[in-house]
Amino acid sequence: MKRVIVTGANGFVGSNIVSALAQGGWQVCALDREFDNPAVATWNQNRVERVRAHCADMPAMPADALVHAAFVTATPEDRGESPEDNLRANIEPLLQVMEYAEAGGIHRCVFISSNAVFRQTPATLVDEMRPPDPLGVYGVAKTLMERMVDTLRHLHGRDIVCARLGAVYGSYEYRRSSRPKLSMVGQMMQDALSKGEIVVSTPAELRQWTLAADIGRAIAALLSAESLNHSLYNLASGERLSDLAVARMIQGLVEGVRLSLPSGYESPARSPEKLGWLDNSRLRRDTDFDDWTAMSQDALARALTSLAGQSRDA
């Protein structure tokens, strides 16, 4: 059985990656500094070993692959630190994990990136060839990671890739010191539960949403592919929904929830497209993975249940 190390395993995306890999037959070393995410209770305990450690002092563990999902999305202001320290909080662990993987002879590594590498994109498909133009320390850190991975792959022969994510929703998303802001879907759910109202500021805006569990299965496809042709892959569904459509689905799950729309809002004949969406065709060509879950009330209900459970335990 193949073994994989997943850093940031206690987080939103990381915990979903752990679950998907364990369900896919991998033996998982889930690494984080703490394990207070309720997702931990759902893991197959025969397939998942929890390791409490920081990226700077990871214990020696035999592994065939590694997924680096440990990242700080909080801004310098959120953390009360300088922009330089905020960048250092992501780049230093990144380099330590890269060195660890190389020293341990780990065969394939996947590093989780983000569409935060773009401050703005045209309203069209955005493939991996579009140059990043980040604005913000987090986006700069992800851009540096993508460039470093590309360099290590092409100049130093390492079997290493980046997986770039778009907007993600799903189960086990909570606020943490390293990730203090929820996704728009998570915030809508929390407002529905705590306030009985969802404020929809941009009802017609289209966004591309990807279920977190699907990210884990796409990562599994990258790890299992016999060979990969590129250093960067977009991991995102092809589905786009308006903010109002998402809010209405959540409204249908929580009794008595009101929707608050801008004054005088009238539904346009066609939703505007202000931002582009990630093109996943490279992933499909190289791994054959194209099994994305359409957003539905069923999918949202599972995420809502996990968020409601966390609220009750708080």
Side-chain angles (χ1 to χ4, degrees), residues 84-99:
E84 293 85 354
D85 281 340
N86 191 255
L87 181 64
R88 192 174 290 114
N90 277 322
I91 296 303
E92 288 185 351
L94 167 69
L95 297 176
Q96 289 157 349
V97 170
M98 288 176 167
E99 291 171 334

Side-chain angles (χ1 to χ4, degrees), residues 130-201:
R130 182 173 181 80
D133 61 336
L135 183 63
V137 178
Y138 176 67
V140 169
K142 290 297 190 184
T143 300
L144 288 171
M145 181 178 70
E146 290 185 1
R147 293 304 189 226
M148 186 64 176
V149 165
D150 189 55
T151 294
L152 290 176
R153 182 176 182 86
H154 289 106
L155 293 186
H156 301 275
R158 299 193 193 177
D159 191 356
I160 181 171
V161 300
C162 275
R164 183 189 286 164
L165 313 186
V168 181
Y169 76 100
S171 300
Y172 305 113
E173 179 187 13
Y174 313 116
R175 287 191 176 91
R176 302 180 183 283
S177 60
S178 60
R179 190 178 187 273
K181 293 182 176 65
L182 297 175
S183 68
M184 189 196 77
V185 171
Q187 188 61 56
M188 283 184 174
M189 288 181 174
Q190 186 170 78
D191 288 347
L193 292 169
S194 63
K195 302 176 182 178
E197 180 182 27
I198 301 174
V199 177
V200 190
S201 302

Side-chain angles (χ1 to χ4, degrees), residues 12-284:
F12 170 38
V13 173
S15 64
N16 277 275
I17 291 173
V18 169
S19 295
L21 291 174
Q23 291 167 10
W26 287 81
Q27 190 71 34
V28 184
C29 297
L31 185 138
D32 214 314
R33 287 176 291 180
E34 58 182 347
F35 288 96
D36 59 354
N37 191 323
V40 173
T42 71
W43 292 345
N44 183 330
Q45 300 305 309
N46 294 323
R47 291 280 178 85
V48 180
E49 174 190 2
R50 283 178 276 169
V51 179
R52 294 180 183 272
H54 188 275
C55 292
D57 56 1
M58 294 167 62
M61 296 178 285
D64 303 286
L66 181 146
V67 179
H68 182 50
F71 242 78
V72 174
T73 65
T75 66
E77 293 75 20
D78 290 331
R79 286 166 59 89
E81 63 190 5
S82 69
E84 293 85 354
D85 281 340
N86 191 255
L87 181 64
R88 192 174 290 114
N90 277 322
I91 296 303
E92 288 185 351
L94 167 69
L95 297 176
Q96 289 157 349
V97 170
M98 288 176 167
E99 291 171 334
Y100 176 92
E102 177 66 8
I106 295 175
H107 170 61
R108 179 166 294 167
C109 300
V110 177
F111 289 80
I112 305 300
S113 188
S114 164
N115 63 357
V117 299
F118 300 116
R119 70 182 74 186
Q120 191 171 5
T121 62
T124 184
L125 280 173
V126 176
D127 65 19
E128 293 87 347
M129 297 302 293
R130 182 173 181 80
D133 61 336
L135 183 63
V137 178
Y138 176 67
V140 169
K142 290 297 190 184
T143 300
L144 288 171
M145 181 178 70
E146 290 185 1
R147 293 304 189 226
M148 186 64 176
V149 165
D150 189 55
T151 294
L152 290 176
R153 182 176 182 86
H154 289 106
L155 293 186
H156 301 275
R158 299 193 193 177
D159 191 356
I160 181 171
V161 300
C162 275
R164 183 189 286 164
L165 313 186
V168 181
Y169 76 100
S171 300
Y172 305 113
E173 179 187 13
Y174 313 116
R175 287 191 176 91
R176 302 180 183 283
S177 60
S178 60
R179 190 178 187 273
K181 293 182 176 65
L182 297 175
S183 68
M184 189 196 77
V185 171
Q187 188 61 56
M188 283 184 174
M189 288 181 174
Q190 186 170 78
D191 288 347
L193 292 169
S194 63
K195 302 176 182 178
E197 180 182 27
I198 301 174
V199 177
V200 190
S201 302
T202 53
E205 186 166 336
L206 290 172
R207 302 179 199 268
Q208 183 183 35
W209 289 101
T210 304
L211 186 65
D214 290 353
I215 296 297
R217 294 189 301 111
I219 294 289
L222 285 171
L223 293 179
S224 300
E226 184 174 345
S227 62
L228 295 171
N229 299 314
H230 303 279
S231 64
L232 175 63
Y233 292 87
N234 288 337
L235 269 59
S237 75
E239 182 181 35
R240 288 171 295 145
L241 293 170
S242 71
D243 292 358
L244 181 56
V246 175
R248 282 175 172 161
M249 280 193 275
I250 296 171
Q251 182 186 34
L253 294 170
V254 184
E255 185 177 354
V257 168
R258 306 177 305 278
L259 299 187
S260 176
L261 303 177
S263 178
Y265 171 76
E266 293 183 6
S267 180
R270 184 174 183 273
S271 296
E273 298 175 327
K274 295 182 179 179
L275 298 174
W277 56 100
L278 297 181
D279 180 3
N280 60 28
S281 58
R282 177 182 283 184
L283 175 73
R284 184 173 63 253

